[in-house]
Amino acid sequence: MTGLPFPSVRGESRAPEGTVGLPDQLGRVARDLRVSVTDRCNLRCRYCMPAEGLPWLAKPEMLTDDELVRVIGVFVGLGITQIRLTGGEPLLRRSLVDVVRRVAALEPRPRIAMTTNGIGLDRLAQPLADAGLDRVNVSLDTIDPQEFADLTRRDRLHDVELGLKAAAAAGLAPVKVNAVAMRGINDHSVGDLLQWCLDRGYELRFIEQMPLDAQHGWDASTMISAEEIRERLGERFELTPLPAADRGSAPAERFLVDGGPFTVGIIASVSAPFCAACDRTRLTADGQVRNCLFSQRETDLLGPLRAGATDEELAALIQGEMWRKAPGHGIGTADFVQPDRPMSAIGG
Ligand code: SAM
Ligand code: SF4
């Protein structure tokens, strides 16, 4: 393959003969597949993309719908029970409703979720729900129009609000909202965002900013930590931690807000990583399997698939990629190297 904008190292590895499902050498088993259906986006969030100039994948380098559904079917055969469609902005893939319908027809039927910036969801929420989408996370970092425009570099807050409303109306419940706080941009309005979500019944989760931006501008010293979010929210709301036993492999620490019933989640992906309980794997829009957001290597399925590989051969490649999964992401250690692919091309 030539001309790819994200030149990650490609390489194969093998799981032991007779391996069933998607275990790694530490005993973790992947059950949750994140699928990036496009690397394109209509926003330019500062923690994700540069203001301009990020090259998109060329269409011939991307999995077609038939290829995508076939590969997802191979993952389902390997024990994946949850598919999350993401990107880039997944709603920009024109065939998305059809892809959801076809994934929902797989046996055993996986649960299907999507992470979206919400733009266009006002039109697509109902068709997606009808096609089999079960749940949605909408990314929204602030409800202040000026802060929104500053953070995303686009004036589209109203579209996101309409998208959220449509998701709730289509029954994609519980509607979750994902937020990243950036110092000096939206860190002082986290309480306003929580109140806004509580008023509408949306479940808010904050996530620490990770070093996955295309421009490699992440800086540990400016990151707003989970602890800091908790302190800021604590100035305005009473937060009661829910028992850790309720958490499983879910990364968010959850708190009852003002005695409940609503909750807020805080994901300390950098300061208190949950790698030891990780059950995720990832497929990029150009057919690469990644065992971690932070992998330096990935396994190519697109080439073998187009060269006539059988489902069993694709399954063995996927198992090999999972087998070599590292114990943790290593952010903050001396050896940490940010991956070539940005979040928008891996799939968040
Ligand atoms: N465009 C869709 C969206 O924004 O929801 C889906 C793709 S986006 C890459 C998926 C999630 O990753 C979003 O919730 C976004 O806020 C989050 N994200 C992007 N870059 C991030 C970063 N550097 N650190 C933490 N989260 C990030
Ligand atoms: Fe686009 Fe999502 Fe990245 Fe924002 S976080 S630029 S919406 S892909």
Side-chain angles (χ1 to χ4, degrees), residues 40-45 47-49 87-89 117 139 344:
R40 290 168 194 252
C41 194
N42 41 18
L43 294 184
R44 287 265 165 180
C45 304
Y47 47 71
C48 185
M49 287 198 180
E89 177 41 47
N117 65 26
S139 302
S344 57

Side-chain angles (χ1 to χ4, degrees), residues 36 38 40-43 45-49 84-91 114-118 137-141 151 177-180 205 207-214 218 269-270 293-294 338 342-348:
S36 173
T38 176
R40 290 168 194 252
C41 194
N42 41 18
L43 294 184
C45 304
R46 289 178 185 275
Y47 47 71
C48 185
M49 287 198 180
R84 178 169 293 276
L85 303 169
T86 178
E89 177 41 47
L91 298 178
M114 176 175 68
T115 303
T116 170
N117 65 26
N137 289 51
V138 177
S139 302
L140 174 63
D141 306 309
L151 199 149
V177 171
N178 288 6
V180 177
R205 301 138 31 103
I207 180 158
E208 284 176 345
Q209 187 188 348
M210 297 179 279
L212 285 168
D213 54 314
W218 183 87
S269 32
V270 177
L293 270 176
F294 294 94
Q338 181 169 339
M343 183 73 129
S344 57
I346 298 171

Side-chain angles (χ1 to χ4, degrees), residues 91-106:
L91 298 178
L92 292 181
R93 185 157 179 145
R94 289 216 183 100
S95 54
L96 188 69
V97 172
D98 198 44
V99 168
V100 168
R101 186 175 301 113
R102 292 174 68 183
V103 172
L106 293 171

Side-chain angles (χ1 to χ4, degrees), residues 45-127:
C45 304
R46 289 178 185 275
Y47 47 71
C48 185
M49 287 198 180
E52 47 198 282
L54 191 65
W56 306 130
L57 289 166
K59 196 149 187 217
E61 307 277 12
M62 291 174 60
L63 293 169
T64 63
D65 288 358
D66 287 349
E67 290 168 341
L68 183 63
V69 174
R70 178 175 164 206
V71 172
I72 293 176
V74 174
F75 272 99
V76 168
L78 287 166
I80 290 294
T81 55
Q82 153 114 353
I83 309 284
R84 178 169 293 276
L85 303 169
T86 178
E89 177 41 47
L91 298 178
L92 292 181
R93 185 157 179 145
R94 289 216 183 100
S95 54
L96 188 69
V97 172
D98 198 44
V99 168
V100 168
R101 186 175 301 113
R102 292 174 68 183
V103 172
L106 293 171
E107 289 287 343
R109 183 200 191 284
R111 289 188 304 280
I112 310 172
M114 176 175 68
T115 303
T116 170
N117 65 26
I119 297 172
L121 195 57
D122 57 334
R123 203 169 38 79
L124 283 167
Q126 192 62 58

Side-chain angles (χ1 to χ4, degrees), residues 198-246:
L198 293 174
D199 292 344
R200 289 159 182 77
Y202 305 147
E203 219 177 288
L204 177 62
R205 301 138 31 103
F206 287 95
I207 180 158
E208 284 176 345
Q209 187 188 348
M210 297 179 279
L212 285 168
D213 54 314
Q215 60 278 28
H216 291 220
W218 183 87
D219 180 351
S221 65
T222 58
M223 182 192 86
I224 306 276
S225 68
E227 188 56 38
E228 200 171 336
I229 295 277
R230 191 178 165 170
E231 277 168 23
R232 295 228 167 158
L233 296 178
E235 289 163 9
R236 194 156 144 192
F237 305 91
E238 190 196 328
L239 300 185
T240 314
L242 286 170
D246 294 356

Side-chain angles (χ1 to χ4, degrees), residues 130-335:
D130 293 344
L133 185 69
D134 298 304
R135 289 192 300 113
V136 73
N137 289 51
V138 177
S139 302
L140 174 63
D141 306 309
T142 173
I143 38 99
D144 179 287
Q146 192 51 51
E147 287 179 8
F148 183 93
D150 190 9
L151 199 149
T152 67
R153 303 188 179 100
R154 300 287 185 274
D155 185 13
R156 305 294 298 269
L157 175 60
H158 185 59
D159 299 279
V160 183
E161 289 183 40
L162 291 179
L164 274 160
K165 253 191 199 168
L172 295 169
V175 174
K176 294 193 178 173
V177 171
N178 288 6
V180 177
M182 292 190 80
R183 198 172 299 284
I185 301 183
N186 62 334
D187 53 331
H188 285 284
S189 62
V190 291
D192 295 341
L193 180 62
L194 177 55
Q195 187 60 58
W196 189 88
C197 288
L198 293 174
D199 292 344
R200 289 159 182 77
Y202 305 147
E203 219 177 288
L204 177 62
R205 301 138 31 103
F206 287 95
I207 180 158
E208 284 176 345
Q209 187 188 348
M210 297 179 279
L212 285 168
D213 54 314
Q215 60 278 28
H216 291 220
W218 183 87
D219 180 351
S221 65
T222 58
M223 182 192 86
I224 306 276
S225 68
E227 188 56 38
E228 200 171 336
I229 295 277
R230 191 178 165 170
E231 277 168 23
R232 295 228 167 158
L233 296 178
E235 289 163 9
R236 194 156 144 192
F237 305 91
E238 190 196 328
L239 300 185
T240 314
L242 286 170
D246 294 356
R247 199 167 153 185
S249 62
E253 184 175 8
R254 287 170 67 223
F255 300 86
L256 276 184
V257 182
D258 291 338
F262 293 112
T263 59
V264 64
I266 306 182
I267 307 181
S269 32
V270 177
S271 61
F274 40 90
C275 306
C278 180
D279 66 351
R280 296 180 182 177
T281 179
R282 292 166 195 275
L283 175 67
T284 67
D286 57 340
Q288 309 302 308
V289 188
R290 298 177 64 92
N291 61 35
C292 173
L293 270 176
F294 294 94
S295 304
Q296 289 297 329
R297 303 175 76 92
E298 46 193 35
T299 295
D300 179 34
L301 298 184
L302 184 70
L305 190 152
R306 290 188 181 168
T310 63
D311 283 2
E312 290 69 30
E313 287 163 344
L314 295 177
L317 287 169
I318 297 168
Q319 286 181 312
E321 172 65 23
M322 293 319 294
W323 187 248
R324 69 175 174 202
K325 183 170 167 123
H329 58 47
I331 300 172
T333 63
D335 312 337

